[in-house]
């Protein structure tokens, strides 16, 4: 497995610098000729410049699935109902407007009971609170999108261009579009693996798990059924930006991908910029 992981790293970051000239310069902040010929370019920076090789879309999907697996939360956008029900304390003027709120999520599909699992297809598991605006809007008919980003790793990541300071804009973010699928009530026995998976990244959520005694809020398990995936890998000259192939998103697993998807690698074969060892799961 180590050697496969290494091969993944190589594919993403260690191609010879000469191939960098194949990258279109259209959106570059510095063009690669300037970078490679800079007298200030030290050996360590030459390594940084290797990241100027743009990953393929399949490699971007591996990074995206890894980001989902490592992300404990994300911003869920929903739309307020239009009109706002008269009994609501929500201002009538926000009817039909989107609201983004951060929610706890986890990539726990493989911990769902067998008859519910979607086969590790990148549908995130969500712990939904009935009182929360996000889930009230969904209850009133809104679909949702979930945004994840890697921006809190900016101080660990290597600058993309030598001479440019740390740049959150160079780090990936992704928006998953779809609709909420509330899961049926699970017996304690069936919920055990899911709870274990979810509480690994959210130990505090133990207090408001569905059915938790004395819980301050009624909650339920749900998942986002992903229908479209929008990816911004970073700066457009060195990363992919656009709509991801959803078959690839769904077909990538931790250790391998489904038959016919990409080159067979899984998200454990790649690393995100500036990953700390504690990020590994
Ligand atoms: C929500 O998503 C479902 C499934 O993709 C779609 O059929 C429905 O029209 C969407 N509803 C709204 C309000 O966009
Ligand atoms: C999406 O990926 C699948 C699997 O690799 C491939 O068969 C399909 O042709 C791709 N779709 C598009 C629109 O590229």
């Amino acid at each position: 497995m180590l050697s496969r992981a290494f091969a993944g790293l190589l594919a993403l970051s260690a191609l010879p610098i000469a191939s960098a000239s194949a990258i279109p310069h259209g959106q570059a902040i510095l063009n690669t000729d300037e970078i490679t010929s800079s007298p200030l370019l030290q050996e360590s920076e030459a390594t940084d410049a290797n990241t100027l090789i743009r990953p393929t879309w399949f490699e971007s999907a591996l990074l995206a699935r890894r980001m989902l697996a490592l992300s404990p939360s994300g911003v869920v956008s929903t739309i307020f109902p239009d009109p706002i029900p008269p009994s609501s304390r929500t201002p009538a003027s926000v009817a039909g407007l989107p609201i983004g709120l951060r929610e706890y999520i986890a990539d726990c599909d493989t911990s769902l009971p067998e008859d519910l699992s979607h086969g590790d297809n990148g549908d995130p598991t969500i712990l939904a609170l009935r009182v929360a605006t996000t889930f009230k809007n969904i209850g009133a008919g809104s679909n949702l999108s979930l945004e994840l980003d890697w921006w809190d790793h900016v101080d660990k990541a290597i600058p993309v261009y030598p001479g440019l300071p740390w740049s959150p804009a160079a780090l990936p973010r992704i928006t998953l579009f779809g609709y909420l699928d509330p899961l049926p009530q699970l017996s304690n026995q069936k919920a055990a693996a899911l709870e274990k998976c979810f509480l690994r990244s959210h130990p505090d959520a133990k207090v408001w798990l569905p059915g938790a005694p004395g819980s301050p809020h009624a909650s339920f398990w749900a998942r986002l059924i992903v229908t479209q995936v929008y990816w911004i890998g970073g700066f457009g000259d060195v990363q992919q930006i656009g709509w991801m192939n959803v078959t690839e998103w769904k077909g990538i697993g931790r250790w391998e991908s489904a038959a016919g998807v990409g080159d067979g690698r899984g998200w454990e074969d790649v690393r995100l910029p500036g990953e700390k060892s504690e990020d590994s799961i």
Side-chain angles (χ1 to χ4, degrees):
M1 198 41 64
L2 250 189
S3 64
R4 280 181 64 198
F6 188 58
L9 274 177
L10 274 180
L12 285 180
S13 63
L15 291 172
I17 194 164
S19 337
S21 59
I23 290 168
H25 291 162
Q27 297 174 52
I29 288 180
L30 295 174
N31 80 39
T32 43
D33 297 338
E34 264 174 59
I35 293 167
T36 50
S37 62
S38 165
L40 298 174
L41 185 66
Q42 302 300 313
E43 199 167 331
S44 62
E45 289 175 322
T47 309
D48 301 350
N50 288 341
T51 59
L52 291 172
I53 307 301
R54 184 197 264 136
T56 64
W57 265 111
F58 174 70
E59 285 163 345
S60 301
L62 290 175
L63 291 168
R65 283 296 303 269
R66 184 167 182 88
M67 200 155 92
L68 173 67
L70 298 181
S71 295
S73 66
V75 175
V76 173
S77 294
T78 58
I79 308 274
F80 280 108
D82 187 5
I84 302 284
S87 59
S88 166
R89 288 200 303 206
T90 306
S93 61
V94 301
L97 293 186
I99 178 169
L101 292 165
R102 187 170 284 274
E103 305 289 351
Y104 284 2
I105 60 132
D107 188 17
C108 287
D109 185 81
T110 53
S111 302
L112 292 179
E114 217 169 303
D115 55 327
L116 289 177
S117 166
H118 282 171
D120 195 16
N121 71 341
D123 285 344
T125 308
I126 300 178
L127 181 51
L129 296 184
R130 294 193 190 279
V131 71
T133 297
T134 294
F135 302 101
K136 281 189 179 164
N137 284 350
I138 291 169
S142 173
N143 284 332
L144 63 148
S145 66
L146 167 67
E147 190 262 357
L148 310 173
D149 65 59
W150 201 247
W151 286 20
D152 59 353
H153 289 72
V154 68
D155 56 342
K156 313 286 182 319
I158 299 163
V160 173
Y161 302 108
L164 185 77
W166 285 328
S167 178
L171 297 179
R173 53 269 198 199
I174 188 169
T175 303
L176 308 176
F177 292 80
Y179 57 93
L180 198 75
D181 178 31
L183 298 176
Q185 214 164 16
L186 303 173
S187 66
N188 286 349
Q189 196 195 352
K190 283 197 159 185
L194 174 58
E195 289 176 0
K196 188 171 168 212
C197 172
F198 201 87
L199 295 180
R200 212 163 24 226
S201 47
H202 303 293
D204 53 326
K206 189 178 179 25
V207 179
W208 62 90
L209 286 179
S215 167
H217 295 300
S219 65
F220 61 97
W221 290 113
R223 65 180 143 200
L224 167 57
I225 308 284
V226 176
T227 55
Q228 292 293 341
V229 177
Y230 189 73
W231 169 255
I232 300 179
F235 295 140
D237 58 329
V238 289
Q239 291 291 338
Q240 303 289 353
I241 295 179
W243 295 95
M244 200 161 258
N245 181 324
V246 179
T247 308
E248 291 190 346
W249 167 267
K250 289 184 182 292
I252 289 169
R254 180 170 185 173
W255 306 109
E256 59 190 9
S257 343
V261 170
D263 57 18
R265 280 181 289 164
W267 57 255
E268 200 56 91
D269 292 319
V270 295
R271 292 293 178 270
L272 289 155
E275 261 193 51
K276 301 168 289 200
S277 52
E278 324 68 285
D279 285 325
S280 298
I281 55 173

